């Protein structure tokens, strides 16, 4: 039996493109940027960080960091609050559940491929060891 993989891939991509969840798009849009992912990584490690502390490791201006925080807040991934002159940022991981659930539906497509890749790497490693003896 021959399977038309090209058609299956086309149908999968067509479904993915037509997926119409606005919040899901916002979350993926926020996660696509390396700086925003680094901010989320830091907030995952440290609960409640001031904006000035968040901005320190980045080679961008404070207004640039603020724009990234606006995107993260619009996606619901962070909360901000002000105490005196200090604005503190905290991670809100709940909105990441929907993208994870969405990605899990497609996991079956790549799991078998990754398993085959691991088997291939093990075979190649075994061959290299035998040649080295």
């Amino acid at each position: 039996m021959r399977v038309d993989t090209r058609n299956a891939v086309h149908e999968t991509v067509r479904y993915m493109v037509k997926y119409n969840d606005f919040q899901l798009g916002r979350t993926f849009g926020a996660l696509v940027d390396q700086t925003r992912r680094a901010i989320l990584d830091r907030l995952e490690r440290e609960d409640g960080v001031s904006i000035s502390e968040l901005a320190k490791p980045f080679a961008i201006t404070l207004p640039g960091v603020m724009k990234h925080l606006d995107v993260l807040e619009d996606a619901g991934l962070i909360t901000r609050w002000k105490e005196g002159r200090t604005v503190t940022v905290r991670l809100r991981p709940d909105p990441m559940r929907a993208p994870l659930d969405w990605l899990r539906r497609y996991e079956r497509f790549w799991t078998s491929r990754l398993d085959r890749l691991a088997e291939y790497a093990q075979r190649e490693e075994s061959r290299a060891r035998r040649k080295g003896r």
Side-chain angles (χ1 to χ4, degrees):
M1 178 178 166
R2 185 167 183 227
V3 177
D4 184 2
T5 56
R6 199 164 70 176
N7 189 42
V9 169
H10 174 75
E11 287 301 311
T12 302
V13 170
R14 186 176 67 78
Y15 178 78
M16 291 167 65
V17 170
K18 288 189 171 212
Y19 194 82
N20 199 8
D21 186 345
F22 182 71
Q23 183 57 43
L24 187 62
R26 279 184 142 174
T27 304
F28 277 125
L31 296 174
V32 75
D33 184 85
Q34 179 179 352
T35 300
R36 291 191 288 266
R37 289 191 312 270
I39 289 169
L40 292 175
D41 287 345
R42 173 126 184 236
L43 291 173
E44 188 270 328
R45 291 187 314 271
E46 298 176 46
D47 187 33
V49 180
S50 72
I51 290 176
S52 59
E53 284 297 313
L54 273 176
K56 280 184 182 177
F58 301 108
I60 58 176
T61 64
L62 187 58
V65 171
M66 296 292 291
K67 286 181 182 182
H68 285 295
L69 293 175
D70 289 343
V71 172
L72 291 170
E73 189 172 43
D74 287 344
L77 298 171
I78 63 166
T79 59
R80 294 188 263 193
W81 72 93
K82 188 173 184 176
E83 289 182 35
R85 295 179 61 183
T86 304
V87 178
T88 304
V89 182
R90 178 172 279 154
L91 177 68
R92 286 191 65 236
D94 290 343
M96 286 189 235
R97 285 190 183 136
L100 286 172
D101 292 342
W102 186 83
L103 287 169
R104 281 189 191 107
R105 293 191 327 219
Y106 300 98
E107 186 174 18
R108 66 187 166 140
F109 293 109
W110 67 74
T111 300
S112 64
R113 290 181 178 103
L114 290 174
D115 290 343
R116 286 195 308 262
L117 178 61
E119 290 168 6
Y120 172 77
Q122 289 171 348
R123 281 194 310 271
E124 290 299 308
E125 186 177 347
S126 294
R127 282 186 195 148
R129 283 186 191 148
R130 280 183 270 162
K131 284 183 180 181
R133 287 185 184 180

